Amino acid sequence: MGRYRWLTLIGLIGFVALLPTSLVQPAVRYRAYVSNEYGASITVLDVATDAVIGTIPISGRPGEVRPRGMAVSPDGRIIYVALSDFQPILEVPEDKIVAIEVATNKVVAEYRVGSNPERVALNPEGTQLWAANENAARATGFDLETGRTLGEFQTGVEPEGVAVSPDGRFVYVTGETSHTVTVIDAKELRPVKHFLVGHRPRFVVFSQDGSKAYVSAEIGGTVSVVDAKAHRVVETISLGLDSRPVEMALSPDGKRLYVAGGGTSAVYVIDTATNRVLRTIRERMGRRPWGITITPDGRKIYTANGLSDSVSIIDPESLSVVRSVSVGRGPHSVVIGVVR
């Protein structure tokens, strides 16, 4: 190496050394967490390599204790998992939310949020947990700072999907059997509205600006577009009666909505500007994709495939499956955690 190159290298090292610590941040790494409903475990994948790097046992009673819906803290460092049993007649000790620290993959906390929690959501500050209590036709709010229950609220029948608006004001809860969405005012702590959507609504997600919400309807084969200020359906996107839409994920720029097709073993890609289906991904998909998520950088989409015990990894550019990875029994949901 010539004298000039050495001087340049020494200069660069000196420049970096003089940077404020806050400007020299370690690279962010992502991990995918998959809840295995029949395996009572969580499979952990390194998003950089898509290799399985760990399995977190949730219970020693697979087939009896079922991890299902998950949510991620705003900083990506904690994964919240909804647990329940397969015979949800009474509230049992397994009905709870567990918190997993991404850095260590250890369960660091447990929270009681009523019976049979199926899915869970967090407010934007990460201070409130909201759970859909499937067998009780209720939703439960829990304050993570005080450790106290905020309240239990009547919803439609068989509540499943739950989401908090980006401003933290409203909680939407879908009712599978009543075909409804219940709107809870998270500030005044009271339900303020119920409205009809498609048949068997499974999941709800808000747009990043909070102006809209999308609600999937498994039997109706639709996605309802909701005015999230007026709390009313303004458009219905038909995916076909045989489409079986369940979980959904918005791209980071909000331009695409990815919809897991459940029993059809497909993923539907919707252009949110036109509300039209751009593509249906079927080739190489695992069986019964139920959960779906996209990495925060928008580079990979993951589906949790309940009948093939696998995860499919989709390239958002080519909209094709690029890899499949075996995980635990009965994958239900998948989310992305962050290691900083």
Side-chain angles (χ1 to χ4, degrees):
M1 183 180 290
R3 183 169 180 271
Y4 175 75
R5 289 185 176 179
W6 272 112
L7 289 173
T8 301
L9 178 61
I10 291 170
L12 285 172
I13 293 173
F15 174 73
V16 171
L18 291 173
L19 285 175
T21 304
S22 61
L23 297 180
V24 186
Q25 298 292 338
V28 171
R29 290 177 291 138
Y30 299 127
R31 290 175 176 173
Y33 290 77
V34 184
S35 59
N36 301 310
E37 184 175 4
Y38 296 101
S41 64
I42 306 295
T43 301
V44 187
L45 282 72
D46 182 337
V47 167
T49 62
D50 294 324
V52 174
I53 58 173
T55 300
I56 304 168
I58 294 297
S59 167
R61 296 190 294 124
E64 297 181 33
V65 178
R66 55 196 310 202
R68 291 188 285 177
M70 297 189 287
V72 186
S73 63
D75 61 8
R77 296 182 180 185
I78 302 291
I79 307 296
Y80 295 90
V81 186
L83 301 185
S84 58
D85 65 354
F86 282 89
Q87 296 180 343
I89 300 173
L90 300 172
E91 184 173 349
V92 296
E94 287 78 12
D95 289 345
K96 58 190 174 186
I97 305 294
V98 298
I100 296 172
E101 185 181 57
V102 173
T104 62
N105 285 336
K106 302 287 187 184
V107 174
V108 294
E110 297 181 356
Y111 307 100
R112 302 291 302 180
V113 292
S115 65
N116 198 229
E118 180 167 1
R119 290 190 184 273
V120 61
L122 282 140
N123 68 342
E125 292 77 24
T127 57
Q128 295 179 354
L129 276 177
W130 289 86
N133 304 107
E134 184 179 22
N135 71 324
R138 290 184 178 179
T140 301
F142 186 88
D143 190 317
L144 290 169
E145 293 184 323
T146 65
R148 295 181 178 178
T149 300
L150 294 168
E152 296 180 347
F153 307 93
Q154 203 71 43
T155 66
V157 183
E158 286 192 87
E160 177 170 345
V162 56
V164 183
S165 60
D167 64 2
R169 182 63 189 271
F170 296 106
V171 181
Y172 278 21
V173 186
T174 67
E176 282 183 51
T177 310
S178 53
H179 320 305
T180 56
V181 168
T182 297
V183 183
I184 300 169
D185 187 321
K187 183 177 180 181
E188 298 182 1
L189 295 176
R190 64 183 181 90
V192 294
K193 189 173 184 178
H194 306 270
F195 60 90
L196 288 168
V197 289
H199 284 198
R200 206 167 188 85
R202 289 285 193 178
F203 196 82
V204 55
V205 61
F206 283 91
S207 62
Q208 286 89 340
D209 65 3
S211 64
K212 291 181 287 189
Y214 300 91
V215 183
S216 62
E218 185 185 18
I219 302 302
T222 60
V223 174
S224 297
V225 183
V226 178
D227 180 331
K229 303 300 180 186
H231 311 306
R232 65 182 179 88
V233 175
V234 293
E235 187 170 351
T236 299
I237 305 169
S238 176
L239 305 179
L241 288 176
D242 60 349
S243 55
R244 299 290 188 268
V246 282
E247 205 168 292
M248 301 179 289
L250 273 167
S251 60
D253 62 10
K255 294 182 178 179
R256 288 181 178 179
L257 180 67
Y258 300 98
V259 185
T264 64
S265 298
V267 167
Y268 304 89
V269 185
I270 295 173
D271 181 334
T272 57
T274 62
N275 288 337
R276 294 182 181 278
V277 177
L278 287 174
R279 183 82 64 86
T280 301
I281 304 169
R282 299 184 189 276
E283 190 173 355
R284 297 181 65 193
M285 276 299 307
R287 294 175 60 201
R288 193 176 177 264
W290 197 263
I292 188 167
T293 193
I294 186 167
T295 54
D297 60 11
R299 293 182 177 179
K300 290 184 177 180
I301 299 164
Y302 290 79
T303 64
N305 309 319
L307 291 184
S308 54
D309 298 340
S310 67
V311 165
S312 296
I313 299 147
I314 298 170
D315 173 23
E317 292 295 325
S318 63
L319 294 178
S320 58
V321 176
V322 295
R323 192 170 295 115
S324 294
V325 178
S326 296
V327 292
R329 288 191 58 216
H332 181 284
S333 293
V334 54
V335 295
I336 305 295
V338 179
V339 181
R340 299 178 189 278

